[in-house]
Amino acid sequence: MQDPAISADFPATGRIAFQGEPGAYSHEACRRARPGMEALPCATFEDTVEACRSGAADLAMLPVENSTYGRVADIHHLLPESGLHIVDETFVRVHISLLGLPGVRLDEITEAMSHTVLLGQCRNFLRRHNIRTVTGADTAGSAARVAEAGQRHLGALASPLAGEIYGLDRLADEIEDRQNNTTRFLIMSRRPDHSRRPDREGRDRMLTSFVFRVRNIPAALYKAMGGFATNGVNMTKLESYMVNGVFTATQFYADIEGHPEDPPVARALEELRYFTSSLTILGVYPADPLRALQAPATAD
């Protein structure tokens, strides 16, 4: 049976698009969330969206935020303009491996190549082994370059998946300084899917994502947010960003728990509409079970 989020306006391709080269962490997210689909690499986020929009792929995988580095640049601008809808989320733990040519030993590696962000996440390991850093365009691309270069002293910092794809040995695993480093991804479709609800055991907690702009009146944002508090709706994320480079034009991105048809959520959104000049629902989707693991522990 076809996924209800896959639009019938194009023949189904069985593909999910992602930004990066094979072996990127976005590729890993595709394999985790849609293991039965073919992952389609794209050069940019815009190309990833267009692959889904044009029918070259059924779905698109987009990273939105990282637990260490915050939100992914430009994604919040891209989401409302994409014409696509959020149908799922998935979390990927960023496990970093040192990859080398087959047969190379760890003590032979004197330089490691990767994206600057990943290089910064392995400082302790690199310092301990006296390995110099070499900046690459991206993580999976660095693994491909190491495989092509054929230099025994040169390693790559990338995912274990990249090592598998490019035929490199894993010389050391999970070398990241922070063991909880996690990236959140959103799965996008041409067609929204608001049909899902929590099951009887309370699993599949629903989330709703939307963007809005408040009216130009005093305390508009404060009043707009009041409906969520009075109706007991938990807002898990609220971020603002500039629109079209204008300091006075601000758009807000929000995630809340619940479905728009839940009475408390419906009342909160109705109150929000009164204080906004625009409101767009980006998606309604189940929370990834790994979301609960990201919550900070509370003291007894």
Side-chain angles (χ1 to χ4, degrees):
M1 180 173 146
Q2 181 168 301
D3 188 329
I6 296 177
S7 175
D9 50 1
F10 292 96
T13 65
R15 290 194 290 265
I16 179 170
F18 70 95
Q19 186 277 326
E21 298 194 39
Y25 288 99
S26 292
H27 186 186
E28 189 173 325
C30 293
R31 298 225 314 194
R32 178 185 182 276
R34 293 294 190 276
M37 299 185 75
E38 176 190 352
L40 176 66
C42 300
T44 66
F45 292 134
E46 289 78 8
D47 292 340
T48 306
V49 166
E50 184 56 30
C52 183
R53 207 159 42 190
S54 69
D58 299 322
L59 302 171
M61 179 72 72
L62 296 175
V64 289
E65 56 193 328
N66 176 268
S67 60
T68 301
Y69 290 92
R71 74 184 182 195
V72 176
D74 298 330
I75 285 294
H76 286 60
H77 291 277
L78 186 61
L79 289 178
E81 299 170 2
S82 69
L84 302 179
H85 306 271
I86 305 169
V87 293
D88 266 313
E89 69 170 357
T90 190
F91 289 83
V92 172
R93 272 284 292 109
V94 181
H95 288 306
I96 304 172
S97 294
L98 175 64
L99 309 174
L101 295 174
V104 169
R105 301 186 313 274
L106 173 58
D107 59 14
E108 294 181 73
I109 300 295
T110 59
E111 293 183 327
M113 176 184 293
S114 193
H115 189 278
T116 52
V117 169
L118 230 64
L119 293 173
Q121 294 178 25
C122 302
R123 289 192 181 96
N124 293 338
F125 176 87
L126 297 174
R127 187 181 305 114
R128 190 162 61 248
H129 293 277
N130 296 314
I131 297 174
R132 297 187 299 274
T133 60
V134 178
T135 301
D138 55 47
T139 59
S142 296
R145 304 302 174 268
V146 168
E148 293 168 1
Q151 298 175 336
R152 294 180 65 86
H153 76 281
L154 181 62
L157 301 182
S159 69
L161 176 59
E164 174 188 327
I165 289 173
Y166 298 108
L168 300 174
D169 284 354
R170 288 157 53 184
L171 309 181
D173 289 323
E174 298 187 23
I175 62 173
E176 58 272 14
D177 295 337
R178 297 190 181 186
Q179 293 301 309
N180 64 342
N181 193 8
T182 303
T183 299
R184 179 188 179 214
F185 293 83
L186 297 177
I187 301 174
M188 313 292 293
S189 172
R190 292 184 297 273
R191 179 180 179 178
D193 179 10
H194 295 184
S195 64
R196 293 163 293 179
R197 295 291 193 282
D199 62 21
R200 292 181 180 178
E201 285 74 36
R203 296 190 296 264
D204 292 335
R205 184 164 47 108
M206 299 304 295
L207 300 173
T208 299
S209 296
F210 54 92
V211 291
F212 65 95
R213 299 186 196 182
V214 295
R215 295 167 55 193
N216 189 21
I217 58 176
L221 179 60
Y222 173 79
K223 295 173 181 176
M225 294 295 96
F228 296 97
T230 56
N231 286 285
V233 176
N234 186 30
M235 180 169 286
T236 61
K237 179 171 291 296
L238 178 64
E239 295 185 344
S240 65
Y241 57 97
M242 192 184 304
V243 179
N244 297 325
V246 179
F247 285 102
T248 55
T250 302
Q251 186 153 278
F252 295 87
Y253 170 95
D255 294 335
I256 60 172
E257 293 182 351
H259 191 288
E261 295 179 6
D262 295 341
V265 175
R267 291 192 295 269
L269 290 175
E270 183 60 31
E271 190 165 337
L272 175 64
R273 287 187 178 93
Y274 182 79
F275 294 105
T276 59
S277 58
S278 67
L279 171 62
T280 302
I281 302 293
L282 298 178
V284 181
Y285 50 98
D288 187 311
L290 292 180
R291 170 178 282 269
L293 300 179
Q294 303 304 308
T298 55
D300 293 333

